[in-house]
Amino acid sequence: MRHKILLLCAALLAAACAQAPQKPAGTPRAILLGQLESWVQKGQIAYGHQDDLPYGHAWRVEDWERDPLERSDVKATTGCFPMMVGFDLGGIELADSCNLDGVPFGLMRKAALKHIERGGMVTFSWHPRNPLTGGDAWDISSDQVVRSILPGGEKHTEFMLWLQRAADFLESLGDVAVIFRPWHENLGSWFWWGGRLCTAGQYQELYRLTWLYFTKERGLVNLVWCYSPNGPIPPQEYMSRYPGDEFVDLLGTDIYAYRGDDSIEGTRVRYAEQVKVMFTSLTAIATEHKKLVCFSETGLEGLPDTGWWTECLYPAIKDFPISYVLTWRNAHDKPGHFYAPWPGFEGEADFDAFCHLEDIVFLEVE
Ligand code: BMA
């Protein structure tokens, strides 16, 4: 039996059913959390893809107000949409019209809502620019940035405007629940909020400030908050900057496979080991803290391993209680920067096989 979410279009439903379909009870947030949990309980893992709808390998949505948003590299290769679609808010803080990867925020809103309406889920990350230097999220030239935006810092007022703009966007989605994953990969030192760029206390204050502003001041109660440090790291470090149970719903991690000069087999073995160490520990932490687990980002850039999905990713994750796994974006303008196959790519068949595994969940639309 294939465990896919089957969606009937509204017209079919109206024709076939006298009564409206039963909506699950609870707030949008509780329903989203409940869905993630039910996959875990059934031993299933949902699949996600970053920026799946605005663009793909060598294509992008041009006229987004008219575009039906049916195109997707994942759908073109498997017949199904990813269950989870990720978007990035980078650029919203300066009221830009497009995000850092050229996605208009209007398109992002439309695609997110359309995906949710189809029965899918949405997660937002955020690569905001550097509020102290004016550089990008990767500008690590100063270790004073986080200090400067916290209460009492010289950039605090400006930073609160950045939070306001991000909150305005999420609020504009209306009464739907989405996952929000701010200040990610915080144990590495490649973002201005990273490990060597601020103290643990400053990081926690930043996360809590964000949560408090969104939740208490703005009343954004539909957000599911994801904490997602980078891996691989020694597992005992995972909680070293944890903001606290009150501020987090989902425990994630970002771990990528890297080939480097290694063989395909060597790359697989290394990745499997890293995933195993990290998720063994995350599973125990999640049980202790009563949280759900996700694999917030992963992938192998350019997919040089054509069996990566069923012979590397799947065996690495299948025995862990991971609610969803998200692979990164298929850039429209950087030919080698992709993490999911597209029609004609040689690894297509393996991805299709992954999609049709019993315990992997895609979004099937009829
Ligand atoms: C990175 C790369 C960048 C991109 C950023 C935010 O991992 O994909 O090209 O700008 O994510 O999406």
Side-chain angles (χ1 to χ4, degrees):
M1 197 178 77
R2 283 170 53 175
H3 295 280
K4 302 292 174 207
I5 304 294
L6 274 172
L7 291 175
L8 297 171
C9 73
L12 259 177
L13 264 180
C17 320
Q19 289 177 338
Q22 280 228 313
K23 265 183 87 177
T27 61
R29 195 183 112 89
I31 293 168
L32 195 159
L33 283 166
Q35 180 62 75
L36 295 175
E37 193 173 359
S38 79
W39 286 323
V40 171
Q41 278 169 2
K42 287 186 273 181
Q44 297 179 315
I45 302 175
Y47 170 70
H49 188 217
Q50 184 74 5
D51 275 350
D52 188 71
L53 299 166
Y55 60 81
H57 184 74
W59 65 271
R60 66 186 300 179
V61 168
E62 297 291 349
D63 184 0
W64 66 264
E65 288 182 58
R66 287 201 192 84
D67 195 290
L69 304 179
E70 297 292 345
R71 196 163 174 189
S72 146
D73 284 346
V74 170
K75 181 160 173 270
T77 47
T78 65
C80 304
F81 286 110
M83 177 50 77
M84 182 74 69
V85 172
F87 297 100
D88 196 275
L89 294 175
I92 200 83
E93 67 281 359
L94 293 190
D96 290 349
S97 57
C98 294
N99 85 343
L100 74 171
D101 301 315
V103 179
F105 285 107
L107 165 56
M108 196 183 291
R109 181 183 301 109
K110 183 178 164 184
L113 292 176
K114 177 113 195 189
H115 189 65
I116 291 169
E117 188 189 306
R118 281 180 185 137
M121 289 182 181
V122 166
T123 174
F124 287 94
S125 51
W126 189 17
H127 290 81
R129 270 168 277 198
N130 183 317
L132 185 61
T133 66
D136 61 21
W138 293 265
D139 178 354
I140 51 167
S141 57
S142 166
D143 60 5
Q144 295 300 307
V145 187
V146 176
R147 185 203 54 76
S148 80
I149 59 178
L150 292 174
E154 64 271 34
K155 291 287 176 185
H156 178 64
T157 307
E158 203 177 319
F159 180 68
M160 292 312 290
L161 177 61
W162 286 22
L163 286 187
Q164 185 192 313
R165 287 175 175 145
D168 287 348
F169 179 85
L170 293 173
E171 190 178 65
S172 79
L173 296 171
D175 200 24
V176 295
V178 296
I179 297 169
F180 185 46
R181 189 171 68 91
W183 317 124
H184 66 303
E185 298 180 9
N186 59 318
L187 300 178
S189 296
W190 44 84
F191 295 132
W192 56 256
W193 57 88
R196 285 199 301 274
L197 287 310
C198 58
T199 65
Q202 286 168 338
Y203 176 84
Q204 288 163 328
E205 209 179 330
L206 170 63
Y207 199 111
R208 291 173 193 151
L209 174 73
T210 310
W211 188 93
L212 283 167
Y213 174 72
F214 280 48
T215 311
K216 300 295 179 197
E217 273 192 51
R218 299 296 301 270
L220 295 175
V221 293
N222 290 335
L223 302 180
V224 166
W225 291 74
C226 179
Y227 175 66
S228 74
N230 52 288
I233 45 157
Q236 63 275 17
E237 281 179 26
Y238 184 89
M239 296 299 267
S240 62
R241 293 183 171 218
Y242 185 60
D245 281 346
E246 192 189 336
F247 310 98
V248 173
D249 302 297
L250 255 179
L251 298 177
T253 188
D254 297 0
I255 302 176
Y256 282 82
Y258 284 106
R259 176 138 188 226
D261 295 329
D262 209 346
S263 63
I264 295 289
E265 192 47 36
T267 308
R268 286 181 182 178
V269 169
R270 194 156 28 94
Y271 179 76
E273 185 56 25
Q274 291 172 349
V275 168
K276 186 176 167 188
V277 169
M278 196 69 202
F279 280 98
T280 300
S281 152
L282 252 188
T283 303
I285 295 171
T287 305
E288 189 190 330
H289 291 258
K290 299 189 174 60
K291 302 291 176 192
L292 290 163
V293 170
C294 70
F295 201 167
S296 38
E297 283 184 39
T298 192
L300 173 64
E301 189 182 33
L303 289 168
D305 176 355
T306 52
W308 192 71
W309 302 92
T310 61
E311 290 173 54
C312 182
L313 177 64
Y314 179 67
I317 61 175
K318 73 180 176 54
D319 295 328
F320 293 105
I322 296 172
S323 55
Y324 75 90
V325 57
L326 180 139
T327 59
W328 206 239
R329 65 198 195 101
N330 284 9
H332 56 90
D333 52 352
K334 293 190 201 168
H337 192 53
F338 64 88
Y339 294 84
W342 68 89
F345 178 70
E346 55 177 343
E348 212 183 324
D350 184 60
F351 186 49
D352 190 40
F354 173 75
C355 166
H356 292 101
L357 288 169
E358 259 199 33
D359 43 1
I360 297 294
V361 183
F362 278 58
L363 176 64
E364 194 169 306
V365 187
E366 292 199 340

